[in-house]
Amino acid sequence: MRNFKMLLEYEGTRYQGWQRQESTENTIQGKLEALLSKMCGHKVEVQGSGRTDAGVHARGQVANAHMDTDMTAEEILAYMNRYLPQDIGVLSVEEVSDRFHSRLLAKEKIYCYQVINSSLPHIFDRRYAYAYPAPLDIEACRRAASFLVGTHDFAAFTSAKKGKKSTVRTIEEIRIEKEKDIIRFYFRGDGFLFHMVRILTGTLLEVGAGKRKPEEMEALLESGRRELAGALAPAVGLTLLEVRY
Amino acid sequence: MRNFKMLLEYEGTRYQGWQRQESTENTIQGKLEALLSKMCGHKVEVQGSGRTDAGVHARGQVANAHMDTDMTAEEILAYMNRYLPQDIGVLSVEEVSDRFHSRLLAKEKIYCYQVINSSLPHIFDRRYAYAYPAPLDIEACRRAASFLVGTHDFAAFTSAKKGKKSTVRTIEEIRIEKEKDIIRFYFRGDGFLFHMVRILTGTLLEVGAGKRKPEEMEALLESGRRELAGALAPAVGLTLLEVRY
């Protein structure tokens, strides 16, 4: 079996997220596995760097798959782009060592959460951004973000049930940029818990709207209580930009 | 009756173009007129700066309508954005003089034709750009464009049947920019004939692909023969950017 690494982009709008599900064929992983299994004539499992939620997009998702095939990486790339739906694209395929594992070896991920901060429609951005028309104090968002950067227990910022798994993660950087009416929140870190980026964004938006103070972030982290953090920002605004190894 | 000027954006994908048609409700003008007629309680005619073809987008279409209403321009803006479909947006509404006419007074229009010049998919651009994977010589495109700029009879570059109307137009500028795999053709002129921007682009692409020489443009203009010009580039890549008065 040869091991292939793939760089993927997809528009999440139509899908029930990355992860294969028994109840629906409508997942990114499901589409990829069905196609590659057909291509190889044996069951292929596609391992992603991580799951993306229903409706979340990716510009740089990384996956790998062990396949028994004589095709070259270039031929696999062409085959996939020919038969995948229009909203899933493969940007590169390369053969890698047997030991490459897209999830276990991922060192860093970068996400972008995009907000349309306007009462006017932005119809060309509507599929990739969350419309949040209330005035936002970006400096307050940045101050709040500065408390979140670093190594913390992010239990308050995940929808995952409490269990044995650690909820400690390191956020290397949160960068907030404004370009006209579009505000982008960039998150770079060693890994993110279930819903973590969306809850972080939802909380930062509440700070920006004046509903919370930036200084509250410290106590929030310490509390570990999800119900004290902000709302889960909608999936539409979130894009996985890059996975680093 | 008061006269209102509107700045509009729309994604043309779902529509049979700008112009109202008896056979379908699915036109931009049709949607606007239906909504404003309901708002005013009388039949409203919406005059656009020009028609856009089926599938063509706009980021700065200008229209005007004479309406009998007590609503302020701001109220009309909010009403329209509340009830229009998600792929049509109103960016501004202002009351203007009775004599303002969005088509007759338009002095200049700017269009952008966007090409994905790659064999790889660009799924996030797929609704707004034409995938043309063949290698393109941008400098050859620019040389060909230099022959097209100026005041010429563009009869060879329109699908309109020959009639009494003049096919002389002035193109002030054709600018061609490349940003990674995306090539943008900007056309600025006093007005464009039916299909003119798309046939110009189709012809420039054939020059870029080496199927024609830039110098042929002169004879092509002189011939006035549509069948000698290039293919009609698909609607998906075209966006009306701006109308100047």
Side-chain angles (χ1 to χ4, degrees):
Chain A
M1 296 278 250
R2 298 156 70 197
N3 190 14
F4 292 91
K5 177 183 175 185
M6 294 164 253
L7 183 64
L8 305 166
E9 60 175 20
Y10 45 85
E11 179 185 329
T13 317
R14 287 201 310 136
Y15 295 97
Q16 298 300 312
W18 169 268
Q19 195 182 24
R20 170 195 339 121
Q21 291 176 35
E22 300 242 325
S23 57
T24 173
E25 292 187 349
N26 217 22
T27 66
I28 316 288
Q29 189 184 30
K31 292 285 178 198
L32 293 167
E33 290 184 343
L35 181 65
L36 292 174
S37 296
K38 196 172 164 188
M39 187 187 86
C40 293
H42 67 79
K43 197 175 169 184
V44 172
E45 193 171 314
V46 175
Q47 179 72 55
S49 75
R51 306 166 190 176
T52 48
D53 302 337
V56 170
H57 318 294
R59 288 179 180 267
Q61 170 71 291
V62 175
N64 73 292
H66 293 268
M67 299 190 278
D68 190 4
T69 175
D70 293 331
M71 291 168 76
T72 65
E74 281 217 338
E75 286 166 347
I76 296 171
L77 174 70
Y79 180 94
M80 292 180 79
N81 281 325
R82 181 161 179 187
Y83 294 111
L84 281 170
Q86 283 201 319
D87 45 12
I88 304 178
V90 186
L91 301 177
S92 70
V93 175
E94 57 173 321
E95 190 165 1
V96 288
S97 123
D98 254 16
R99 284 166 306 181
F100 177 79
H101 189 289
S102 57
R103 181 169 55 81
L104 297 177
L105 300 180
K107 284 210 176 110
E108 209 168 70
K109 283 185 187 166
I110 304 175
Y111 280 93
C112 177
Y113 196 97
Q114 206 167 222
V115 169
I116 301 168
N117 190 220
S118 170
S119 58
L120 291 174
H122 278 53
I123 64 144
F124 292 100
D125 300 306
R126 74 188 190 281
R127 293 187 182 90
Y128 317 111
Y130 168 40
Y132 190 90
L136 285 173
D137 178 345
I138 301 293
E139 280 313 315
C141 292
R142 288 183 179 136
R143 277 201 304 282
S146 71
F147 291 104
L148 299 166
V149 170
T151 302
H152 304 286
D153 184 336
F154 286 97
F157 294 91
T158 177
S159 307
K161 286 175 189 152
K162 279 187 184 160
K164 288 172 194 163
K165 285 188 179 172
S166 167
T167 45
V168 173
R169 293 289 184 281
T170 300
I171 299 183
E172 298 290 342
E173 187 185 27
I174 302 176
R175 197 158 40 88
I176 304 171
E177 289 180 3
K178 188 171 160 69
E179 189 187 335
K180 292 182 188 167
D181 292 343
I182 303 286
I183 300 170
R184 296 188 185 92
F185 297 77
Y186 293 92
F187 297 86
R188 180 165 61 84
D190 63 351
F192 294 90
L193 304 163
F194 180 46
H195 282 170
M196 180 169 154
V197 179
R198 291 165 59 191
I199 299 171
L200 286 167
T201 305
T203 307
L204 292 174
L205 287 172
E206 292 176 13
V207 171
K211 296 178 191 164
R212 290 168 179 272
K213 294 204 168 123
E215 296 71 27
E216 289 175 33
M217 296 303 112
E218 282 191 294
L220 191 46
L221 282 167
E222 273 169 40
S223 77
R225 289 169 60 189
R226 167 66 188 101
E227 67 273 25
L228 298 182
L232 176 70
V236 67
L238 186 60
T239 301
L240 171 58
L241 289 187
E242 194 183 333
V243 186
R244 293 180 181 171
Y245 291 90
Chain B
M1 296 276 251
R2 299 155 71 196
N3 189 14
F4 292 91
K5 176 183 175 184
M6 294 164 252
L7 182 65
L8 306 166
E9 60 175 22
Y10 46 85
E11 179 185 329
T13 318
R14 286 203 309 136
Y15 296 95
Q16 298 300 312
W18 170 267
Q19 195 182 22
R20 171 196 336 121
Q21 292 176 33
E22 300 241 325
S23 57
T24 173
E25 293 188 348
N26 217 23
T27 66
I28 316 289
Q29 189 184 31
K31 291 286 178 198
L32 294 167
E33 290 184 344
L35 181 65
L36 293 173
S37 297
K38 196 172 165 189
M39 187 187 85
C40 292
H42 67 80
K43 198 176 167 183
V44 173
E45 193 171 315
V46 176
Q47 180 72 56
S49 75
R51 307 166 189 177
T52 48
D53 302 336
V56 170
H57 318 294
R59 288 180 180 268
Q61 170 71 291
V62 175
N64 74 292
H66 294 268
M67 299 189 278
D68 191 5
T69 174
D70 293 332
M71 290 167 76
T72 65
E74 282 217 337
E75 286 166 347
I76 296 171
L77 174 70
Y79 180 94
M80 293 180 78
N81 282 325
R82 181 162 179 186
Y83 294 111
L84 280 170
Q86 281 200 321
D87 46 12
I88 304 179
V90 187
L91 301 177
S92 70
V93 174
E94 57 174 318
E95 189 165 0
V96 289
S97 123
D98 254 15
R99 284 167 305 182
F100 177 79
H101 190 290
S102 57
R103 181 169 55 81
L104 297 176
L105 300 179
K107 285 212 176 108
E108 209 167 70
K109 283 184 188 168
I110 303 175
Y111 280 93
C112 177
Y113 195 98
Q114 207 168 222
V115 169
I116 301 168
N117 190 221
S118 170
S119 58
L120 291 174
H122 278 54
I123 65 144
F124 293 100
D125 300 307
R126 72 188 191 281
R127 294 186 182 90
Y128 317 111
Y130 168 40
Y132 190 89
L136 285 173
D137 177 346
I138 301 293
E139 279 314 314
C141 292
R142 287 184 180 135
R143 278 201 304 281
S146 71
F147 292 103
L148 298 167
V149 170
T151 303
H152 304 286
D153 184 337
F154 286 97
F157 293 91
T158 177
S159 308
K161 285 174 191 153
K162 278 187 183 160
K164 288 173 195 161
K165 285 188 179 172
S166 167
T167 45
V168 173
R169 293 288 185 281
T170 299
I171 300 184
E172 298 290 343
E173 187 186 25
I174 303 178
R175 196 158 41 87
I176 305 172
E177 289 179 3
K178 187 170 160 73
E179 190 188 334
K180 292 181 188 167
D181 292 342
I182 302 285
I183 300 169
R184 296 189 185 92
F185 297 77
Y186 293 92
F187 298 87
R188 180 165 60 85
D190 64 351
F192 294 90
L193 303 164
F194 181 47
H195 282 170
M196 180 169 154
V197 179
R198 291 166 59 191
I199 299 171
L200 287 167
T201 305
T203 307
L204 292 174
L205 287 173
E206 292 175 12
V207 171
K211 296 178 194 164
R212 292 168 178 272
K213 293 203 169 126
E215 296 72 27
E216 288 175 35
M217 297 302 113
E218 282 190 296
L220 191 47
L221 282 166
E222 274 171 38
S223 77
R225 289 169 60 189
R226 167 69 188 96
E227 66 273 24
L228 299 182
L232 176 71
V236 66
L238 187 60
T239 302
L240 171 59
L241 289 187
E242 195 182 333
V243 185
R244 293 180 181 171
Y245 290 89

